Amino acid sequence: MKNLQLLAPIAALICAAIVCGAVLLWAPVCSGTLELANGNMVPMRCAYTAKVELLLALILAAVAVVALVTKRPMTVALVLLSLAIVLLTFDTPLSIGVCKSADMACQSTALWLRIAGGISAVATLAGALLNPDRKRVAE
């Protein structure tokens, strides 16, 4: 039962590696650019999403390593970082999002990021709920 405490940080570490791999290796975002009204070319917003996702994945990995080393759950930090990875791929006022076109490469990147972030969040919450040492409220 003690190994259940390791479930969340290990899952978060694996999901952080999947996010990094998806962004850098097997599902990179599109390399297209947009032309502004003044003629300048700028990267599409998915390029900025990929950079922030990579940073979030590295922070998630660092928090997971700290949780493993200190044997503290770090549940809130792991869940918030995992949800931020998922939320950043949607087109909301709080996030950057990816290209709207369904045939762009960044759509597959977003799918990988949503799955990895979702698995990390669910595993962290499951680890917190199944932890035999968690404090319970007496009825």
Side-chain angles (χ1 to χ4, degrees):
M1 238 16 198
K2 285 288 187 184
N3 291 337
L4 283 175
Q5 293 176 348
L6 302 177
L7 172 73
I10 290 173
L13 197 56
I14 291 170
C15 289
I18 290 172
V19 169
C20 290
V23 169
L24 297 173
L25 300 174
W26 60 79
V29 295
C30 48
S31 60
T33 57
L34 295 173
E35 183 176 355
L36 300 178
N38 64 1
N40 290 343
M41 301 297 282
V42 295
M44 298 177 106
R45 65 182 174 168
C46 56
Y48 299 111
T49 300
K51 291 176 185 178
V52 175
E53 292 283 7
L54 194 58
L55 180 65
L56 285 174
L58 293 175
I59 295 170
L60 179 66
V63 171
V65 167
V66 168
L68 285 170
V69 170
T70 63
K71 294 188 174 43
R72 295 199 173 231
M74 305 259 185
T75 305
V76 174
L78 291 174
V79 168
L80 288 178
L81 286 167
S82 300
L83 292 178
I85 287 173
V86 173
L87 179 66
L88 201 62
T89 61
F90 292 104
D91 189 18
T92 67
L94 297 174
S95 62
I96 302 171
V98 293
C99 304
K100 293 183 193 246
S101 178
D103 60 342
M104 300 292 275
C106 54
Q107 294 296 329
S108 65
T109 309
L111 180 64
W112 278 98
L113 299 176
R114 290 171 186 159
I115 290 172
I119 289 172
S120 177
V122 168
T124 302
L125 290 173
L129 293 175
L130 296 174
N131 185 359
D133 296 332
R134 74 182 171 115
K135 295 177 182 164
R136 291 179 170 79
V137 177
E139 293 179 13

